[in-house]
Amino acid sequence: MKHCSVIESDTTRVNDIGFLCWDGLPLDQLSVGLAYLKTANQLAPDKQLRVSILSLAGADVQSNCGVSLRTRRIDDHAARCGYLFLLGGPVLPPDQQNRLGRVARSQLRAGLVQGAVEAALIPLAHTGLLCGLDVAASSSVLSALQEQFPDISPASNDSHASGAIWSAGSGFSLLDLLSKTTSGTLTPQEQPRLNRKFQSYRPIFGRCIACAHDIARVDDGFTGDIVVDKAIELFRYNLEEPLQIKSIAEEVGISVRQLERKFVTATGLTPKAYYLEERLEKAQAIVRCTNLTLAEVALACGFGSNATLSQKYKQRFGQSPACERARLNAPRFET
């Protein structure tokens, strides 16, 4: 799987963003981040973001769900990355740990931004750069950090308080950080438009096959069928107020029956079933990662009532949204 530089541009007005990855990286988070930045490029084609997938050694990197990514060596690209985000597991071999320290310090000495998400904060803490800082992460990562580094304090869901070092937990926190990287590229009108669009993106956290599919579709489209892919985009941009399948078919220029045949061939689902799946996946992401009320979740995902959402949600995921939220423990949600 080749993912060296998924967003390229010939323009001279380029902002470089690097994702420095090592074994154990959360592929779902990388997938979401790449899709967000690609959408930003589509909104502002005259001021492009160029993204590179990097590693400390320039070799293949294994994600936490076993997918292998081809990368470029950090030494060849670090100098140009205005923003460098760390995505990796909690453990690095000693030689790579030392190299990470050199890269991170060089990035900060150059006045550039260093960001780290979730478990990547642990190797970064071993460089000494987080001592005395407020750090944002999930409760499990913060507990692991504070056991070894008592000078590190917990912060809110994402943190810019430490200046050039940014940190974030899982879920949509990476998007919060990336929105800061696009604020100088997009106009005040385009930035909210990007964020509104991206609320319809489907991050499927922690599911291996879906992670691999998500990152592949950033480069190659969704299914490979142009008509089906266009319909899927319409689905994702219209989750709050779902369109009729007849309207979708008219928009893509074929009959409802033809659209149904194409969907079943490409995805194994009818358009109606696929559309419902998109809305439920968005609902699950919101339930897991925010503190919106269930009535607000229902409205955000195109369900007429909380009762309808709960019924469909339980059929799909085996438990109601209220039960899932209770199980995941309320303090981990955004406040």
Side-chain angles (χ1 to χ4, degrees), residues 6-46:
V6 298
I7 304 175
E8 297 289 351
S9 172
D10 295 326
T11 179
T12 57
R13 303 177 68 185
V14 172
N15 292 324
D16 284 282
I17 298 173
F19 290 94
L20 178 58
C21 305
W22 57 85
D23 288 346
L25 76 116
L27 187 57
D28 47 6
Q29 293 291 290
L30 178 60
S31 171
V32 171
L34 294 178
Y36 183 89
L37 295 172
K38 184 173 183 179
T39 304
N41 270 351
Q42 294 168 351
L43 290 173
D46 60 327

mmCIF file of all heavy atoms in Angstrom, residues 6-46:
data_model
loop_
_atom_site.group_PDB
_atom_site.id
_atom_site.type_symbol
_atom_site.label_atom_id
_atom_site.label_comp_id
_atom_site.label_asym_id
_atom_site.label_seq_id
_atom_site.Cartn_x
_atom_site.Cartn_y
_atom_site.Cartn_z
ATOM 1 N N VAL A 6 0.218 11.930 -0.351
ATOM 2 C CA VAL A 6 -1.098 11.791 -0.950
ATOM 3 C C VAL A 6 -1.665 13.096 -1.466
ATOM 4 O O VAL A 6 -2.637 13.091 -2.200
ATOM 5 C CB VAL A 6 -2.089 11.183 0.057
ATOM 6 C CG1 VAL A 6 -1.645 9.808 0.465
ATOM 7 C CG2 VAL A 6 -2.253 12.082 1.268
ATOM 8 N N ILE A 7 -1.095 14.219 -1.075
ATOM 9 C CA ILE A 7 -1.597 15.493 -1.553
ATOM 10 C C ILE A 7 -0.423 16.258 -2.150
ATOM 11 O O ILE A 7 0.461 16.689 -1.439
ATOM 12 C CB ILE A 7 -2.243 16.318 -0.420
ATOM 13 C CG1 ILE A 7 -3.347 15.492 0.255
ATOM 14 C CG2 ILE A 7 -2.785 17.621 -0.946
ATOM 15 C CD1 ILE A 7 -3.959 16.170 1.439
ATOM 16 N N GLU A 8 -0.409 16.388 -3.431
ATOM 17 C CA GLU A 8 0.696 17.064 -4.104
ATOM 18 C C GLU A 8 0.171 18.312 -4.810
ATOM 19 O O GLU A 8 -1.004 18.430 -5.132
ATOM 20 C CB GLU A 8 1.354 16.129 -5.124
ATOM 21 C CG GLU A 8 1.994 14.898 -4.486
ATOM 22 C CD GLU A 8 3.242 15.201 -3.695
ATOM 23 O OE1 GLU A 8 3.719 16.342 -3.768
ATOM 24 O OE2 GLU A 8 3.735 14.299 -3.006
ATOM 25 N N SER A 9 1.050 19.246 -5.106
ATOM 26 C CA SER A 9 0.633 20.468 -5.776
ATOM 27 C C SER A 9 1.795 21.059 -6.535
ATOM 28 O O SER A 9 2.942 20.991 -6.127
ATOM 29 C CB SER A 9 0.120 21.470 -4.737
ATOM 30 O OG SER A 9 -0.117 22.716 -5.334
ATOM 31 N N ASP A 10 1.477 21.681 -7.673
ATOM 32 C CA ASP A 10 2.490 22.381 -8.443
ATOM 33 C C ASP A 10 2.562 23.853 -8.052
ATOM 34 O O ASP A 10 3.428 24.579 -8.503
ATOM 35 C CB ASP A 10 2.174 22.273 -9.946
ATOM 36 C CG ASP A 10 2.259 20.835 -10.426
ATOM 37 O OD1 ASP A 10 3.102 20.087 -9.901
ATOM 38 O OD2 ASP A 10 1.484 20.485 -11.324
ATOM 39 N N THR A 11 1.629 24.296 -7.258
ATOM 40 C CA THR A 11 1.585 25.703 -6.909
ATOM 41 C C THR A 11 2.761 26.091 -6.023
ATOM 42 O O THR A 11 3.316 25.274 -5.307
ATOM 43 C CB THR A 11 0.270 26.041 -6.187
ATOM 44 O OG1 THR A 11 0.279 27.442 -5.850
ATOM 45 C CG2 THR A 11 0.140 25.246 -4.898
ATOM 46 N N THR A 12 3.128 27.374 -6.067
ATOM 47 C CA THR A 12 4.213 27.856 -5.219
ATOM 48 C C THR A 12 3.710 28.221 -3.826
ATOM 49 O O THR A 12 4.499 28.420 -2.927
ATOM 50 C CB THR A 12 4.881 29.085 -5.858
ATOM 51 O OG1 THR A 12 3.885 30.097 -6.073
ATOM 52 C CG2 THR A 12 5.512 28.703 -7.186
ATOM 53 N N ARG A 13 2.395 28.309 -3.670
ATOM 54 C CA ARG A 13 1.832 28.676 -2.365
ATOM 55 C C ARG A 13 1.480 27.396 -1.627
ATOM 56 O O ARG A 13 0.329 26.980 -1.569
ATOM 57 C CB ARG A 13 0.623 29.582 -2.557
ATOM 58 C CG ARG A 13 0.930 30.839 -3.355
ATOM 59 C CD ARG A 13 -0.317 31.667 -3.577
ATOM 60 N NE ARG A 13 -0.816 32.243 -2.323
ATOM 61 C CZ ARG A 13 -1.953 32.938 -2.241
ATOM 62 N NH1 ARG A 13 -2.693 33.118 -3.306
ATOM 63 N NH2 ARG A 13 -2.340 33.427 -1.082
ATOM 64 N N VAL A 14 2.494 26.762 -1.061
ATOM 65 C CA VAL A 14 2.329 25.441 -0.462
ATOM 66 C C VAL A 14 2.661 25.494 1.025
ATOM 67 O O VAL A 14 3.669 26.069 1.421
ATOM 68 C CB VAL A 14 3.234 24.407 -1.169
ATOM 69 C CG1 VAL A 14 3.215 23.082 -0.427
ATOM 70 C CG2 VAL A 14 2.794 24.211 -2.604
ATOM 71 N N ASN A 15 1.807 24.883 1.832
ATOM 72 C CA ASN A 15 2.105 24.658 3.242
ATOM 73 C C ASN A 15 2.320 23.167 3.446
ATOM 74 O O ASN A 15 1.483 22.354 3.048
ATOM 75 C CB ASN A 15 0.939 25.136 4.123
ATOM 76 C CG ASN A 15 0.776 26.630 4.098
ATOM 77 O OD1 ASN A 15 1.746 27.367 4.033
ATOM 78 N ND2 ASN A 15 -0.462 27.094 4.140
ATOM 79 N N ASP A 16 3.448 22.796 4.043
ATOM 80 C CA ASP A 16 3.788 21.388 4.213
ATOM 81 C C ASP A 16 3.387 20.882 5.591
ATOM 82 O O ASP A 16 3.693 21.503 6.612
ATOM 83 C CB ASP A 16 5.288 21.180 4.003
ATOM 84 C CG ASP A 16 5.662 21.224 2.537
ATOM 85 O OD1 ASP A 16 5.429 20.222 1.842
ATOM 86 O OD2 ASP A 16 6.164 22.275 2.085
ATOM 87 N N ILE A 17 2.722 19.732 5.586
ATOM 88 C CA ILE A 17 2.312 19.060 6.823
ATOM 89 C C ILE A 17 2.823 17.630 6.763
ATOM 90 O O ILE A 17 2.610 16.929 5.764
ATOM 91 C CB ILE A 17 0.786 19.070 6.982
ATOM 92 C CG1 ILE A 17 0.280 20.517 7.064
ATOM 93 C CG2 ILE A 17 0.362 18.289 8.221
ATOM 94 C CD1 ILE A 17 -1.227 20.638 7.065
ATOM 95 N N GLY A 18 3.511 17.202 7.793
ATOM 96 C CA GLY A 18 4.036 15.844 7.829
ATOM 97 C C GLY A 18 3.386 15.025 8.931
ATOM 98 O O GLY A 18 3.082 15.549 10.003
ATOM 99 N N PHE A 19 3.155 13.743 8.650
ATOM 100 C CA PHE A 19 2.735 12.785 9.665
ATOM 101 C C PHE A 19 3.899 11.827 9.886
ATOM 102 O O PHE A 19 4.222 11.035 8.997
ATOM 103 C CB PHE A 19 1.486 12.023 9.226
ATOM 104 C CG PHE A 19 0.235 12.856 9.198
ATOM 105 C CD1 PHE A 19 -0.175 13.464 8.034
ATOM 106 C CD2 PHE A 19 -0.505 13.038 10.355
ATOM 107 C CE1 PHE A 19 -1.325 14.243 8.007
ATOM 108 C CE2 PHE A 19 -1.667 13.809 10.341
ATOM 109 C CZ PHE A 19 -2.077 14.420 9.163
ATOM 110 N N LEU A 20 4.556 11.945 11.034
ATOM 111 C CA LEU A 20 5.677 11.069 11.368
ATOM 112 C C LEU A 20 5.117 9.843 12.075
ATOM 113 O O LEU A 20 4.574 9.946 13.181
ATOM 114 C CB LEU A 20 6.680 11.805 12.258
ATOM 115 C CG LEU A 20 7.888 10.994 12.727
ATOM 116 C CD1 LEU A 20 8.670 10.443 11.538
ATOM 117 C CD2 LEU A 20 8.800 11.852 13.605
ATOM 118 N N CYS A 21 5.238 8.684 11.433
ATOM 119 C CA CYS A 21 4.581 7.468 11.907
ATOM 120 C C CYS A 21 5.603 6.409 12.319
ATOM 121 O O CYS A 21 6.701 6.364 11.784
ATOM 122 C CB CYS A 21 3.688 6.891 10.802
ATOM 123 S SG CYS A 21 2.471 8.061 10.163
ATOM 124 N N TRP A 22 5.221 5.579 13.265
ATOM 125 C CA TRP A 22 5.992 4.382 13.590
ATOM 126 C C TRP A 22 5.031 3.260 13.937
ATOM 127 O O TRP A 22 3.813 3.470 13.981
ATOM 128 C CB TRP A 22 7.008 4.649 14.701
ATOM 129 C CG TRP A 22 6.453 5.167 15.989
ATOM 130 C CD1 TRP A 22 5.940 4.447 17.029
ATOM 131 C CD2 TRP A 22 6.369 6.550 16.401
ATOM 132 N NE1 TRP A 22 5.545 5.274 18.052
ATOM 133 C CE2 TRP A 22 5.791 6.561 17.703
ATOM 134 C CE3 TRP A 22 6.730 7.759 15.805
ATOM 135 C CZ2 TRP A 22 5.572 7.746 18.389
ATOM 136 C CZ3 TRP A 22 6.499 8.924 16.497
ATOM 137 C CH2 TRP A 22 5.946 8.924 17.773
ATOM 138 N N ASP A 23 5.579 2.074 14.167
ATOM 139 C CA ASP A 23 4.729 0.898 14.384
ATOM 140 C C ASP A 23 3.719 1.141 15.503
ATOM 141 O O ASP A 23 4.056 1.705 16.549
ATOM 142 C CB ASP A 23 5.581 -0.324 14.727
ATOM 143 C CG ASP A 23 6.357 -0.857 13.535
ATOM 144 O OD1 ASP A 23 6.033 -0.461 12.400
ATOM 145 O OD2 ASP A 23 7.294 -1.654 13.741
ATOM 146 N N GLY A 24 2.495 0.678 15.255
ATOM 147 C CA GLY A 24 1.424 0.856 16.225
ATOM 148 C C GLY A 24 0.594 2.097 16.009
ATOM 149 O O GLY A 24 -0.254 2.427 16.831
ATOM 150 N N LEU A 25 0.816 2.803 14.892
ATOM 151 C CA LEU A 25 0.057 4.024 14.649
ATOM 152 C C LEU A 25 -1.434 3.721 14.496
ATOM 153 O O LEU A 25 -1.815 2.664 13.992
ATOM 154 C CB LEU A 25 0.564 4.731 13.398
ATOM 155 C CG LEU A 25 0.144 4.129 12.052
ATOM 156 C CD1 LEU A 25 -0.714 5.089 11.267
ATOM 157 C CD2 LEU A 25 1.360 3.722 11.239
ATOM 158 N N PRO A 26 -2.312 4.641 14.931
ATOM 159 C CA PRO A 26 -3.757 4.458 14.743
ATOM 160 C C PRO A 26 -4.146 4.831 13.322
ATOM 161 O O PRO A 26 -4.252 6.004 12.963
ATOM 162 C CB PRO A 26 -4.357 5.430 15.774
ATOM 163 C CG PRO A 26 -3.322 6.503 15.927
ATOM 164 C CD PRO A 26 -1.978 5.851 15.694
ATOM 165 N N LEU A 27 -4.359 3.824 12.507
ATOM 166 C CA LEU A 27 -4.618 4.055 11.089
ATOM 167 C C LEU A 27 -5.908 4.836 10.870
ATOM 168 O O LEU A 27 -6.011 5.629 9.932
ATOM 169 C CB LEU A 27 -4.679 2.718 10.351
ATOM 170 C CG LEU A 27 -4.767 2.774 8.827
ATOM 171 C CD1 LEU A 27 -3.611 3.549 8.231
ATOM 172 C CD2 LEU A 27 -4.823 1.372 8.249
ATOM 173 N N ASP A 28 -6.898 4.643 11.747
ATOM 174 C CA ASP A 28 -8.146 5.380 11.587
ATOM 175 C C ASP A 28 -7.910 6.876 11.735
ATOM 176 O O ASP A 28 -8.461 7.691 10.991
ATOM 177 C CB ASP A 28 -9.206 4.891 12.575
ATOM 178 C CG ASP A 28 -8.693 4.749 13.999
ATOM 179 O OD1 ASP A 28 -7.531 5.137 14.254
ATOM 180 O OD2 ASP A 28 -9.444 4.246 14.848
ATOM 181 N N GLN A 29 -7.046 7.271 12.690
ATOM 182 C CA GLN A 29 -6.757 8.687 12.882
ATOM 183 C C GLN A 29 -6.028 9.277 11.676
ATOM 184 O O GLN A 29 -6.339 10.382 11.230
ATOM 185 C CB GLN A 29 -5.912 8.879 14.139
ATOM 186 C CG GLN A 29 -6.629 8.552 15.429
ATOM 187 C CD GLN A 29 -7.717 9.557 15.745
ATOM 188 O OE1 GLN A 29 -7.432 10.699 16.075
ATOM 189 N NE2 GLN A 29 -8.960 9.141 15.624
ATOM 190 N N LEU A 30 -5.064 8.544 11.138
ATOM 191 C CA LEU A 30 -4.355 9.025 9.956
ATOM 192 C C LEU A 30 -5.320 9.178 8.784
ATOM 193 O O LEU A 30 -5.261 10.158 8.043
ATOM 194 C CB LEU A 30 -3.224 8.054 9.595
ATOM 195 C CG LEU A 30 -2.415 8.410 8.340
ATOM 196 C CD1 LEU A 30 -1.741 9.766 8.474
ATOM 197 C CD2 LEU A 30 -1.376 7.331 8.052
ATOM 198 N N SER A 31 -6.196 8.210 8.616
ATOM 199 C CA SER A 31 -7.169 8.258 7.531
ATOM 200 C C SER A 31 -8.039 9.500 7.618
ATOM 201 O O SER A 31 -8.243 10.212 6.629
ATOM 202 C CB SER A 31 -8.040 6.994 7.574
ATOM 203 O OG SER A 31 -9.113 7.090 6.666
ATOM 204 N N VAL A 32 -8.565 9.779 8.810
ATOM 205 C CA VAL A 32 -9.408 10.948 9.001
ATOM 206 C C VAL A 32 -8.619 12.227 8.707
ATOM 207 O O VAL A 32 -9.111 13.142 8.051
ATOM 208 C CB VAL A 32 -9.983 10.972 10.429
ATOM 209 C CG1 VAL A 32 -10.685 12.287 10.715
ATOM 210 C CG2 VAL A 32 -10.960 9.824 10.613
ATOM 211 N N GLY A 33 -7.391 12.295 9.213
ATOM 212 C CA GLY A 33 -6.576 13.487 8.995
ATOM 213 C C GLY A 33 -6.280 13.741 7.537
ATOM 214 O O GLY A 33 -6.362 14.878 7.051
ATOM 215 N N LEU A 34 -5.949 12.698 6.790
ATOM 216 C CA LEU A 34 -5.659 12.859 5.372
ATOM 217 C C LEU A 34 -6.887 13.319 4.598
ATOM 218 O O LEU A 34 -6.797 14.182 3.718
ATOM 219 C CB LEU A 34 -5.147 11.538 4.796
ATOM 220 C CG LEU A 34 -3.795 11.038 5.312
ATOM 221 C CD1 LEU A 34 -3.450 9.695 4.679
ATOM 222 C CD2 LEU A 34 -2.687 12.046 5.045
ATOM 223 N N ALA A 35 -8.033 12.747 4.918
ATOM 224 C CA ALA A 35 -9.258 13.130 4.221
ATOM 225 C C ALA A 35 -9.613 14.586 4.519
ATOM 226 O O ALA A 35 -10.061 15.325 3.631
ATOM 227 C CB ALA A 35 -10.401 12.202 4.631
ATOM 228 N N TYR A 36 -9.409 15.022 5.744
ATOM 229 C CA TYR A 36 -9.702 16.408 6.125
ATOM 230 C C TYR A 36 -8.830 17.379 5.328
ATOM 231 O O TYR A 36 -9.322 18.369 4.776
ATOM 232 C CB TYR A 36 -9.449 16.565 7.622
ATOM 233 C CG TYR A 36 -9.786 17.927 8.184
ATOM 234 C CD1 TYR A 36 -11.060 18.200 8.654
ATOM 235 C CD2 TYR A 36 -8.819 18.923 8.271
ATOM 236 C CE1 TYR A 36 -11.372 19.451 9.190
ATOM 237 C CE2 TYR A 36 -9.117 20.168 8.796
ATOM 238 C CZ TYR A 36 -10.396 20.425 9.257
ATOM 239 O OH TYR A 36 -10.684 21.663 9.777
ATOM 240 N N LEU A 37 -7.553 17.088 5.244
ATOM 241 C CA LEU A 37 -6.644 17.985 4.536
ATOM 242 C C LEU A 37 -6.890 17.958 3.031
ATOM 243 O O LEU A 37 -6.737 18.974 2.342
ATOM 244 C CB LEU A 37 -5.199 17.608 4.855
ATOM 245 C CG LEU A 37 -4.800 17.815 6.320
ATOM 246 C CD1 LEU A 37 -3.423 17.223 6.588
ATOM 247 C CD2 LEU A 37 -4.822 19.295 6.688
ATOM 248 N N LYS A 38 -7.264 16.813 2.507
ATOM 249 C CA LYS A 38 -7.584 16.737 1.084
ATOM 250 C C LYS A 38 -8.807 17.593 0.773
ATOM 251 O O LYS A 38 -8.846 18.292 -0.250
ATOM 252 C CB LYS A 38 -7.832 15.284 0.681
ATOM 253 C CG LYS A 38 -8.064 15.120 -0.813
ATOM 254 C CD LYS A 38 -8.139 13.648 -1.192
ATOM 255 C CE LYS A 38 -8.288 13.474 -2.698
ATOM 256 N NZ LYS A 38 -8.337 12.041 -3.082
ATOM 257 N N THR A 39 -9.787 17.577 1.661
ATOM 258 C CA THR A 39 -10.969 18.413 1.477
ATOM 259 C C THR A 39 -10.604 19.885 1.542
ATOM 260 O O THR A 39 -11.134 20.706 0.782
ATOM 261 C CB THR A 39 -12.028 18.086 2.543
ATOM 262 O OG1 THR A 39 -12.338 16.695 2.489
ATOM 263 C CG2 THR A 39 -13.304 18.875 2.309
ATOM 264 N N ALA A 40 -9.683 20.251 2.434
ATOM 265 C CA ALA A 40 -9.219 21.641 2.515
ATOM 266 C C ALA A 40 -8.599 22.078 1.199
ATOM 267 O O ALA A 40 -8.814 23.206 0.736
ATOM 268 C CB ALA A 40 -8.213 21.791 3.659
ATOM 269 N N ASN A 41 -7.830 21.197 0.556
ATOM 270 C CA ASN A 41 -7.236 21.526 -0.733
ATOM 271 C C ASN A 41 -8.292 21.772 -1.797
ATOM 272 O O ASN A 41 -8.137 22.627 -2.669
ATOM 273 C CB ASN A 41 -6.305 20.395 -1.188
ATOM 274 C CG ASN A 41 -4.887 20.597 -0.706
ATOM 275 O OD1 ASN A 41 -4.560 21.649 -0.176
ATOM 276 N ND2 ASN A 41 -4.053 19.595 -0.865
ATOM 277 N N GLN A 42 -9.370 21.021 -1.747
ATOM 278 C CA GLN A 42 -10.431 21.193 -2.727
ATOM 279 C C GLN A 42 -11.131 22.532 -2.554
ATOM 280 O O GLN A 42 -11.613 23.119 -3.522
ATOM 281 C CB GLN A 42 -11.430 20.046 -2.602
ATOM 282 C CG GLN A 42 -10.839 18.695 -2.987
ATOM 283 C CD GLN A 42 -11.720 17.526 -2.592
ATOM 284 O OE1 GLN A 42 -12.712 17.694 -1.881
ATOM 285 N NE2 GLN A 42 -11.355 16.337 -3.027
ATOM 286 N N LEU A 43 -11.179 23.036 -1.332
ATOM 287 C CA LEU A 43 -11.824 24.314 -1.063
ATOM 288 C C LEU A 43 -10.936 25.499 -1.432
ATOM 289 O O LEU A 43 -11.441 26.572 -1.741
ATOM 290 C CB LEU A 43 -12.208 24.406 0.418
ATOM 291 C CG LEU A 43 -13.344 23.493 0.880
ATOM 292 C CD1 LEU A 43 -13.498 23.561 2.391
ATOM 293 C CD2 LEU A 43 -14.650 23.880 0.201
ATOM 294 N N ALA A 44 -9.632 25.332 -1.349
ATOM 295 C CA ALA A 44 -8.701 26.436 -1.631
ATOM 296 C C ALA A 44 -7.603 25.965 -2.573
ATOM 297 O O ALA A 44 -6.456 25.797 -2.170
ATOM 298 C CB ALA A 44 -8.105 26.974 -0.336
ATOM 299 N N PRO A 45 -7.931 25.735 -3.852
ATOM 300 C CA PRO A 45 -6.940 25.167 -4.771
ATOM 301 C C PRO A 45 -5.753 26.070 -5.066
ATOM 302 O O PRO A 45 -4.715 25.609 -5.538
ATOM 303 C CB PRO A 45 -7.767 24.916 -6.053
ATOM 304 C CG PRO A 45 -8.916 25.857 -5.948
ATOM 305 C CD PRO A 45 -9.230 25.965 -4.499
ATOM 306 N N ASP A 46 -5.891 27.379 -4.765
ATOM 307 C CA ASP A 46 -4.783 28.282 -5.042
ATOM 308 C C ASP A 46 -3.755 28.323 -3.915
ATOM 309 O O ASP A 46 -2.660 28.848 -4.081
ATOM 310 C CB ASP A 46 -5.302 29.696 -5.292
ATOM 311 C CG ASP A 46 -6.062 30.252 -4.099
ATOM 312 O OD1 ASP A 46 -6.710 29.445 -3.406
ATOM 313 O OD2 ASP A 46 -5.994 31.471 -3.874
#
